[in-house]
Amino acid sequence: KPVTFCNLVAYSLFKKGTTPFYSRFGSYIIQPIVAGLQNGEPVLASYDSIGAQCMIERFECAGTGAEELMAICEAYYKPDME
């Protein structure tokens, strides 16, 4: 299930970022996005590098071009798009 996987990703990122053994190496430098369908409904979640989860209803962008892509998504997105 996507929601279960979302929780696993959040836990893994948080555990890596807060474990004293790994603290000198820091957390993973990633911004994962998880997308899936659960009971016919879309599930979309994004995370920061320490595992803070944000469930999203419309769209999400991450990476070096996120700001530019977010502007494009906001301009062209319409509810109930197919």
Side-chain angles (χ1 to χ4, degrees), residues 5-76:
F5 185 69
C6 289
N7 292 334
L8 175 67
V9 171
Y11 175 78
S12 298
L13 289 171
F14 181 75
K15 183 76 171 167
K16 170 70 173 165
T18 59
T19 304
F21 175 73
Y22 294 113
S23 64
R24 73 178 192 158
F25 300 111
S27 60
Y28 297 114
I29 309 299
I30 58 173
Q31 294 178 310
I33 296 175
V34 176
L37 289 174
Q38 184 166 339
N39 301 327
E41 295 294 319
V43 176
L44 184 61
S46 68
Y47 308 84
D48 64 6
S49 61
I50 61 166
Q53 182 180 24
C54 180
M55 298 297 273
I56 305 148
E57 295 183 14
R58 300 184 314 161
F59 51 83
E60 179 60 36
C61 305
T64 56
E67 291 82 13
E68 291 82 8
L69 190 55
M70 186 64 81
I72 293 169
C73 290
E74 288 174 344
Y76 290 105

